[in-house]
Amino acid sequence: MKKLLATLLAVPASLLVGHSQTAVTLSVNGVNPKHTISRHIYGHFSEHLGRCIYDGFWVSDSLNVPKKDRIRLDIVEALKKIQIPNLRWPGGCFADEYHWRDGIGPRNQRPTMVNTNWGGVTEDNSFGTHEFLELCNLLNTEPYVSANVGSGTVEEMAKWVEYLNFDGISPMSNLRKQNGRETPWKVTFWGVGNESWGCGGNMTPDYYADEYKRYATYARDYAGTRLKKIASGSNGNDYNWTEVLMKKVGRQMWGLTLHHYTLPTGNWGKKGSATAFDEQEYFNTMRNCLQMEELVTRHSAIMDRYDADKNVALVVDEWGIWTDVEPGTNPGFLYQQNSLRDALIAATTLNIFNNHADRVKMANLAQTVNVLQALVLTQKEKMILTPTYHVFDLFKVHQDAKLLPVSFSSPDYTSGNKKLPALNISASKDSTGKVHLTLVNIDPKNKLTISTSLAGVKFGSVTGQVLTAAKLTDVNSFDEPNKIKNVAFNGAKKQGDQLVIEMPAQSIVMLELK
């Protein structure tokens, strides 16, 4: 053990936070895994909000960065590296005031619009359907389109589906061809409204269920493209909404959404700073993050009563930390920095989704660029990758792999008389036989020694990466863009048939066994 402790990490000593050690026994079951971790759990969300689309993905002709048309290619290349499987657009609350025909045709003839939800800015509609689908093509990702139910019409959604997916002769396919696209895009993921309980129309669940069925009826499956229709689901712990939708809609939807944001203070009025917080606020933030486990479990249990075969997906298409905006920025633009704390939130949440892969089939972090828990931040020509980006880089190994059940008793992370599980884990086996474990230690003081037995798993070597920092408040800045990044991890060793892991405090570790 002394030899093992002496070879902990290939990282600077300043990152080895923690002054005490706790032992954990972990078992991983690799015998006949049943469930696949859908790659779509690793999806993202890009709304017309702040600087996500305009001055994010879609930049001025004069900006001196690599571009295709006005799509910023350094962002594209970064997102391709983490293999994003889908991208949700155009909202969010924006979706229910967006009329798609305003965003097609010659750009100099498109009408402007006021984004009443986010900052009251006037948009020129230069980024519309064709631009979004070209972005998805460059990203090699699947589009997830949210249709307007709140202020739109059944006809409007039906004709958008036809415009995108019909390969015959019709007014919409002819219009698409006139606008430069000969063949249909065959978009399968369609959201039927967004947050219909709130900004999407302030509806009751019964009223929305009827509206969903009406809109979904006319959203047609054209040849070669069967739609995956996603109903607007619950706001956090509104379990009645899920009950009503499952009872009244059921198998008429491919998926049902759930939205949950982690607020540091738990208060929408004063959410807390992205960078200036103490350990007590950190503890409260992680407690609010871990509510996702209860939400997913309880919503899944309701869905199970109506859908025992788990045909309807739980789609967590908005999640992440939401803090106060950075000082001096437009409060309607939701621009926030991204710290090690946010990386721990992302990794913990992804582990929760992985372990519920029987029901959670899709999720979308909010949001991709310059908004909320972003993967990418930009400042004119400069671009930085946030700690959250590096989490998705670590976790991409789970996409479409078989979930391996894990069993362990987590040590407590304590604050006064309150406690949280310090450790969370998920494991999978990919198509080549490699086994991957992602482990998160949220405790900022205590290291963990994890002794692991792996039933049905034979391996000869273990390699890994770790993401950590000296302080929970550390960020990647435009002056110091690589302060937090994934580095080699040498704290896992094969000992006989067992795997022993020495895990630092406040860290995320990904291990590969082969």
Side-chain angles (χ1 to χ4, degrees):
M1 184 63 72
K2 289 183 179 178
K3 182 179 179 181
L4 182 61
L5 290 172
T7 57
L8 272 183
L9 287 171
V11 295
S14 63
L15 298 188
L16 297 181
V17 184
H19 52 68
S20 65
Q21 201 99 0
T22 304
V24 181
T25 300
L26 167 69
S27 64
V28 178
N29 185 357
V31 180
N32 298 322
K34 296 179 180 179
H35 303 295
T36 298
I37 299 172
S38 171
R39 68 185 184 278
H40 290 294
I41 284 173
Y42 291 85
H44 294 278
F45 173 32
S46 290
E47 184 170 6
H48 285 241
L49 197 175
R51 295 171 50 240
C52 185
I53 299 296
Y54 296 99
D55 200 30
F57 280 117
W58 189 248
V59 295
S60 166
D61 287 322
S62 62
L63 191 70
N64 187 24
V65 294
K67 299 183 291 290
K68 182 174 182 184
D69 193 356
R70 289 170 55 188
I71 296 172
R72 185 167 176 161
L73 293 180
D74 53 355
I75 295 177
V76 168
E77 290 306 311
L79 297 178
K80 283 173 66 177
K81 180 177 183 291
I82 60 171
Q83 301 167 15
I84 74 167
N86 67 75
L87 186 63
R88 181 175 180 240
W89 173 87
C93 293
F94 180 82
D96 282 290
E97 66 175 358
Y98 181 68
H99 300 284
W100 67 271
R101 291 198 210 197
D102 293 342
I104 60 172
R107 290 179 196 148
N108 61 2
Q109 296 176 24
R110 298 179 190 178
T112 60
M113 67 172 292
V114 178
N115 189 337
T116 60
N117 282 288
W118 304 117
V121 296
T122 299
E123 298 197 12
D124 65 4
N125 274 314
S126 60
F127 188 93
T129 295
H130 288 251
E131 291 78 16
F132 170 65
L133 291 167
E134 176 59 18
L135 171 62
C136 290
N137 177 60
L138 292 173
L139 290 168
N140 193 28
T141 196
E142 287 197 54
Y144 169 14
V145 175
S146 292
N148 184 343
V149 170
S151 70
T153 65
V154 171
E155 179 187 27
E156 185 176 12
M157 180 180 178
K159 288 190 173 178
W160 204 6
V161 174
E162 180 186 330
Y163 185 91
L164 268 60
N165 291 353
F166 185 54
D167 197 20
I169 298 172
S170 77
M172 290 301 102
S173 61
N174 290 343
L175 181 60
R176 181 189 70 237
K177 293 171 185 177
Q178 290 171 22
N179 289 327
R181 175 75 183 196
E182 187 69 23
T183 58
W185 289 279
K186 298 186 177 181
V187 174
T188 60
F189 290 116
W190 285 84
V192 184
N194 166 76
E195 294 191 355
S196 299
W197 39 264
C199 65
N202 285 302
M203 303 177 194
T204 66
D206 291 276
Y207 181 84
Y208 172 71
D210 290 338
E211 285 291 275
Y212 171 88
K213 288 186 285 187
R214 190 165 71 97
Y215 276 74
T217 296
Y218 295 95
R220 306 295 189 186
D221 291 335
Y222 292 105
T225 312
R226 185 172 180 82
L227 301 190
K228 295 174 180 174
K229 301 169 192 175
I230 299 170
S232 177
S234 171
N235 177 20
N237 62 0
D238 184 353
Y239 300 110
N240 179 60
W241 189 282
T242 297
E243 186 88 38
V244 172
L245 267 290
M246 290 304 298
K247 183 177 181 179
K248 295 190 71 172
V249 178
R251 290 291 304 279
Q252 295 177 63
M253 55 187 170
W254 178 84
L256 178 64
T257 70
L258 166 65
H259 290 182
H260 172 67
Y261 286 97
T262 295
L263 307 181
T265 65
N267 183 339
W268 281 102
K270 179 65 176 174
K271 293 178 280 290
S273 169
T275 56
F277 54 88
D278 59 17
E279 189 182 339
Q280 181 59 56
E281 188 164 307
Y282 166 73
F283 182 92
N284 293 338
T285 304
M286 296 312 299
R287 180 187 60 201
N288 296 336
C289 164
L290 286 164
Q291 288 176 359
M292 186 66 83
E293 174 67 38
E294 178 183 351
L295 292 172
V296 169
T297 299
R298 291 187 63 181
H299 283 292
S300 296
I302 295 168
M303 297 173 78
D304 288 348
R305 293 205 298 271
Y306 298 90
D307 176 36
D309 294 333
K310 302 181 187 293
N311 291 302
V312 180
L314 183 58
V315 177
V316 192
D317 62 1
E318 289 189 31
W319 67 272
I321 185 171
W322 191 325
T323 70
D324 296 330
V325 301
E326 290 302 293
T329 64
N330 187 325
F333 281 13
L334 305 187
Y335 177 83
Q336 62 191 51
Q337 247 294 0
N338 196 287
S339 69
L340 177 64
R341 174 185 67 176
D342 303 341
L344 293 163
I345 287 169
T348 296
T349 304
L350 291 171
N351 275 341
I352 291 170
F353 294 159
N354 288 348
N355 288 321
H356 287 274
D358 60 333
R359 180 64 78 178
V360 179
K361 305 293 178 64
M362 190 174 192
N364 301 79
L365 177 70
Q367 293 187 9
T368 320
V369 185
N370 291 329
V371 171
L372 297 176
Q373 191 168 352
L375 301 180
V376 176
L377 300 177
T378 65
Q379 184 183 82
K380 296 183 179 178
E381 286 82 8
K382 294 181 180 179
M383 181 194 81
I384 57 174
L385 305 177
T386 68
T388 296
Y389 172 92
H390 295 297
V391 170
F392 277 81
D393 195 20
L394 286 180
F395 277 63
K396 67 187 179 187
V397 293
H398 290 305
Q399 292 189 25
D400 287 339
K402 289 290 186 180
L403 176 69
L404 303 184
V406 296
S407 177
F408 64 99
S409 180
S410 174
D412 293 329
Y413 165 38
T414 60
S415 177
N417 61 356
K418 297 177 181 178
K419 59 186 180 181
L420 297 172
L423 180 65
N424 61 82
I425 303 168
S426 65
S428 68
K429 185 176 183 178
D430 70 15
S431 59
T432 69
K434 295 175 186 174
V435 169
H436 295 100
L437 283 72
T438 46
L439 308 95
V440 183
N441 180 8
I442 70 169
D443 191 325
K445 296 187 178 70
N446 297 310
K447 305 172 188 176
L448 301 174
T449 300
I450 305 168
S451 299
T452 309
S453 61
L454 299 110
V457 176
K458 295 186 182 300
F459 69 104
S461 65
V462 55
T463 56
Q465 292 180 285
V466 62
L467 184 67
T468 188
K471 295 185 293 184
L472 290 163
T473 54
D474 281 348
V475 302
N476 289 337
S477 66
F478 292 101
D479 293 328
E480 197 172 359
N482 295 310
K483 187 170 188 176
I484 305 175
K485 63 180 182 179
N486 301 327
V487 296
F489 178 71
N490 296 326
K493 303 295 178 184
K494 188 176 189 291
Q495 293 188 347
D497 292 333
Q498 288 225 328
L499 173 68
V500 178
I501 308 158
E502 301 290 345
M503 191 170 183
Q506 59 189 49
S507 70
I508 302 153
V509 169
M510 187 280 291
L511 300 176
E512 180 174 280
L513 282 59
K514 60 181 180 179

